[in-house]
Each structure stands twice: as structure tokens, then as C-alpha cells.
Amino acid sequence: MELNKHFTAEELNITDYPIIEVGRKKAASEKFRSKADFDIDPARLTDAISRKGHVYAYLDKDKNVKAVYITTKSGEDFSCEERLLSPSIEDADLVEKMDEQVRFLLAERATYYTKGRCYFLGDDVPALKKKSEGINWGMAVVFAILYTTCFWNPFKGAAAVSFGICMGICMGLCFAKHTYYYEG
């Protein structure tokens, strides 16, 4: 984690190891635990989820569980103090990439609160800042045409075009590119 270095959320994705958020039902299932080659306490996972925490798991190509991160929420603070790793991924670079992605997910959740803080494996994570690079005009035009076409029959004329343009601008904002950085 470098301070003041801009990155996108997509850059943190790890090839061949997708991350999933584990729900209460999956955390308690025997099938999920059998896919891991390390011990997973289902009571610990469901307890964290019931207390508004999150459980993230990394899977390999065969859908086997390779890492589990248990996060907790306390007030406006998020923390991850427990991670379970498969012995087969002792590669330090891969584990560091996984740590960075989960650290980002926690820091992003903390930004939803005015005084939200994030802690990861005992370290205080600097505040995450987001920079939007404006509207995606290509998507705005495509959706404006799409919505105008869809609403031409019910509204006819200028009303359909106005509605299409408004919806196109909204969708262009939804598809805007965001970059993040940790404020130092």
C-alpha cells in the first residue's frame, strides 16, 4: 500500500483467484467447509456476519477455498484481525495481493461513515479517498438513445427525447471511472 498513489478497484483483482463475499447460509454449510484444506469454524463466520461484519473468501479455478478473511464492524470502524490461509498459497506475493484487496474493501466501507476508520491485521489504514473522472459520455449517449427509443411510443416527441437525455446523463454518471488513493 503506497500513500497518494492512484489506483482503480479493478487493478486489485487477482487473476485465477476470484473473491466472494460469504453469506450466513454459505458460512454454515458443510459444502463450503469441505472445499477448504484448512479448518474453518462455521460458528465464528456466522457470528461475524450476524454482528454486521463480512466474510470474504478467495477461490481457485476449481472453486476450492484458498483464503478466508473475517472482518468485524464496531460502530463506524471496520477491522480484519483474522485471516485463514491454505498451506498451498504460502506465496508471499499472492497473500500480499489478497491482503491489499481486502484492505481496500474495508477502507471503502469505512468511507460511507463520517468518522469511519479501518484497521487491518493490527495496522491503522490511512483514509481512502475517491476521485471521479466525470461523466462517461459514450455511455451517456448510448443510454440516451436507448431510453428515447423505449419511451417514444408512450411519450411521443420532445418528452421522450428529454426523458432519454436525462436518463442517459444519469447512466453516464453511473459508468464514470473512479480512482482511489490512500491519503498520507
Side-chain angles (χ1 to χ4, degrees), residues 22-164:
V22 179
R24 188 173 305 175
K25 188 175 180 180
K26 183 175 275 218
S29 76
E30 178 62 37
K31 184 178 177 184
F32 176 71
R33 286 179 286 154
S34 68
K35 291 283 193 172
D37 55 354
F38 53 93
D39 291 331
I40 299 175
D41 181 13
R44 174 74 180 106
L45 300 183
T46 55
D47 181 52
I49 294 168
S50 66
R51 294 176 184 248
K52 307 244 187 241
H54 299 274
V55 175
Y56 299 104
Y58 281 94
L59 309 176
D60 65 3
K61 294 177 194 174
D62 301 323
K63 304 284 187 207
N64 293 320
V65 179
K66 293 299 175 183
V68 174
Y69 289 81
I70 303 169
T71 67
T72 57
K73 180 178 185 264
S74 175
E76 294 182 356
D77 297 341
F78 293 87
S79 66
C80 176
E81 299 303 328
E82 190 173 355
R83 104 183 138 187
L84 308 170
L85 298 174
S86 169
S88 64
I89 62 162
E90 292 298 323
D91 178 20
D93 290 337
L94 179 61
V95 173
E96 179 56 38
K97 288 177 183 177
M98 290 177 176
D99 288 351
E100 183 63 33
Q101 188 173 24
V102 174
R103 184 183 302 123
F104 165 74
L105 292 172
L106 285 180
E108 184 181 38
R109 288 189 187 277
T111 62
Y112 300 150
Y113 298 93
T114 55
K115 295 180 182 177
R117 299 288 306 156
C118 174
Y119 304 95
F120 188 79
L121 299 178
D123 294 331
D124 186 10
V125 178
L128 181 70
K129 298 296 180 180
K130 178 167 119 176
K131 180 181 173 190
S132 296
E133 297 189 8
I135 190 169
N136 184 335
W137 286 106
M139 293 303 280
V141 169
V142 168
F143 276 100
I145 292 169
L146 177 73
Y147 279 111
T148 299
T149 305
C150 289
F151 290 102
W152 186 261
N153 282 337
F155 293 123
K156 301 279 189 235
V161 173
S162 299
F163 184 74

